[in-house]
Amino acid sequence: MKKENEYIEDILFGYFTGDLSEAQEKELLQWLEADESNKEILSKMADWWAMAHVPLFVSDMKPDFEKHFGNLKKTSSLTVYRQKINLLGKIVASVLLLIAVGSLSYFIGKYDVNNNNKIAYFETVVPMGSCSKVILPDQSVVWLNAGSSLKYSGAFNKANREIFLNGEAYFEVKRDSLKPFVVKSEVLDIQVLGTCFNVKAYQNEPVTDVALVSGKVNIHLNRKFSTSGEVVLSPNRMLSFNKKTNRAKVMEIKGEDAYTWKDGILKFTEQPFDRIARDLERKYDVSIHINSESLKKEVFSGSFSSDYSLSEILNEVDMDKKYTWKRNGHEIMIYDK
């Protein structure tokens, strides 16, 4: 049992540092489902981890972890006594059923003290300059782009499969005819049974896009923005809704082009530069100020692989040498020449 406990401790440490293989992720899920007390262990660890390692200092994390939880090795079973602590509002790692690949995302679990400390909701937040893969409780897979957040209730996959998205995500949804999968955003709701699709729905951007790769999706436009009702998408089609004009249009696309971002590829077709700039800001964690009305409206098509630097992209965008730009830390200013 001692060796088994040491191994579990290593897996738990790897979970918090974002360094787990797919095989270890499955082992962690199996361990969590084997005993309710194991979930309590992870909950306690997550609470301590969030408080103790902001910011994270890699050289100190493992010794600190062993100092606080090394007693797991000494026990014949991995159980801990219950602590009477108020968990409401504390920031913790997601406690069960959620495994994320990518150490740059973080998780928030809100507990409801009025409902026997049950988890009210989970939220995954991905900072600028990174992306993350998340496996949901129903084994659906979601890739979250930079500056995005995904939120769902503790009842997910029990009463329903409903999630809330702010930002961009690519979904591979497990089919379940009894529980439709619903993605809710500020502008629209998307209902599917099992399919692959991409949603770009940042609240601070005027356009929301839903691109379908395979299967079928039903899109319900919120009445606050549109009276168009329901739109059904077929593969290789994209619905684009403009919040400023309250108009939606459906266009033909190449489905796989919609989610190249998850592989670090920036691809755009006939996009104005002010919208491209928002993608560059998220990808490279910068703030771009466009002091050129002509550049804001100029339309571009192109593709840049993951090894392109921001400087190289800006230089290629300005092939005609009409603009000049300077950088100061995370701030980039672009002017007419």
Side-chain angles (χ1 to χ4, degrees), residues 141-152:
V141 179
V142 185
W143 280 264
L144 280 171
N145 205 351
S148 301
S149 64
L150 184 72
K151 178 178 173 180
Y152 62 91

Side-chain angles (χ1 to χ4, degrees), residues 323-337:
Y323 311 105
T324 183
W325 62 275
K326 29 173 110 166
R327 179 168 185 165
N328 182 15
H330 285 271
E331 301 284 324
I332 293 179
M333 311 292 291
I334 305 179
Y335 307 90
D336 291 321
K337 274 192 175 178

Side-chain angles (χ1 to χ4, degrees), residues 202-208 241-244 275:
Y202 289 97
Q203 289 183 1
N204 60 354
E205 288 198 2
V207 178
T208 294
F241 182 81
N242 190 308
K243 288 183 276 188
K244 291 183 176 179
R275 194 174 187 201

